[in-house]
Amino acid sequence: MQMPELITAIVDDHPIVIEGLKTLLANEENLRITSSFCTGADILAYLLDQPLDLILLDITLPDISGIELCKQIKQISINTRILILSNHTERSIIMQAIQNGASGYLLKNSSIEELRHCIAEAIKGNICYSKEVMEIISRPSKNELQGAPRLTRREKEILALIAAGKTSQIIGQELFLSPLTVDTHRKNLIQKFGVKNVAELVMAATQQQVL
């Protein structure tokens, strides 16, 4: 019994990469590339009218990060599978892409066999990585090696509210603190976990089971 064709789109800001992927995948059975885009806005507009089974997505786009775009694509089309194809090798970026709904992450130097394998796994509903990405995420992060930092009761309260997506203003109202005090706690938490921003803070706290 023949499998139905996977309607596929490529999103990358380099036309030469798009053409290369089209050529590589031209003879793949059960996969049909129907469209390609260079911006996040274009793929989101397309998805409002046309369903897609699979999107091959770059992270570096001119109008939006591919990581954020993952989340927005899933909000429009929950059943669309997204495979990230990127040159970014930072562990935090890989993990955030998966958290935002990607079904897999491959580096652009991956082989066609790895790409085929990840497409097949993504369509089955599994999460898949290229070999090099697997090696990156299997290494413990700096935060994991250091262990979870010691937090005060107030820091734990504020961390939980930050993870819930609440602003300093709202957190201040709920805990009867000034927004400035909340911001100070936020900066202290970022410093204690050794991260750069709130997204990394929440990820590190989740990995270390503080949240």
Side-chain angles (χ1 to χ4, degrees):
M1 179 176 157
Q2 191 171 8
M3 294 282 290
E5 278 189 321
L6 298 173
I7 306 303
T8 304
I10 301 167
V11 185
D12 195 293
D13 64 335
H14 292 99
I16 196 164
V17 173
I18 290 174
E19 292 309 313
L21 282 169
K22 282 181 178 176
T23 302
L24 267 178
L25 297 169
N27 298 320
E28 294 298 304
E29 291 180 15
N30 308 319
L31 190 147
R32 182 158 57 96
I33 297 169
T34 57
S35 45
S36 58
F37 307 93
C38 292
T39 69
D42 287 344
I43 183 67
L44 291 173
Y46 182 87
L47 274 171
L48 292 173
D49 298 317
Q50 301 285 336
L52 286 165
D53 299 309
L54 177 68
I55 297 173
L56 303 178
L57 176 63
D58 189 13
I59 280 181
T60 307
L61 298 171
D63 59 339
I64 188 173
S65 154
I67 292 175
E68 176 59 28
L69 186 57
C70 269
K71 194 190 290 184
Q72 294 187 24
I73 288 169
K74 290 304 240 182
Q75 286 168 351
I76 294 172
S77 180
I78 189 74
N79 293 322
T80 299
R81 308 293 184 194
I82 304 165
L83 284 182
I84 302 289
L85 279 170
S86 174
N87 287 322
H88 289 282
T89 58
E90 294 90 339
R91 189 176 189 269
S92 59
I93 288 176
I94 296 165
M95 301 313 293
Q96 199 171 350
I98 301 302
Q99 285 183 342
N100 282 10
S103 293
Y105 197 109
L106 302 95
L107 299 184
K108 284 186 175 176
N109 62 1
S110 301
S111 66
I112 182 65
E113 287 76 22
E114 285 184 302
L115 180 54
R116 279 192 196 114
H117 174 66
C118 283
I119 290 171
E121 288 299 307
I123 296 307
K124 288 181 199 168
N126 299 327
I127 291 175
C128 190
Y129 308 99
S130 64
K131 185 183 172 194
E132 201 170 333
V133 171
M134 279 293 293
E135 289 170 2
I136 293 166
I137 61 175
S138 66
R139 295 178 208 140
S141 68
K142 182 180 71 175
N143 293 319
E144 288 165 341
L145 288 170
Q146 288 172 341
R150 292 173 67 88
L151 303 181
T152 64
R153 182 178 59 81
R154 179 63 87 197
E155 284 172 339
K156 286 177 183 174
E157 286 175 338
I158 290 172
L159 178 59
L161 293 169
I162 290 171
K166 297 189 177 180
T167 63
S168 294
Q169 190 80 32
I170 299 294
I171 293 170
Q173 288 170 5
E174 290 192 17
L175 299 180
F176 305 104
L177 299 170
S178 75
L180 190 60
T181 301
V182 176
D183 279 338
T184 301
H185 281 298
R186 189 190 294 260
K187 283 173 189 164
N188 288 343
L189 284 164
I190 285 171
Q191 191 172 15
K192 278 190 175 185
F193 279 90
V195 293
K196 298 189 199 74
N197 53 45
V198 167
E200 288 187 12
L201 170 65
V202 173
M203 193 184 307
T206 303
Q207 285 172 351
Q208 294 174 27
Q209 300 181 336
V210 177
L211 280 171

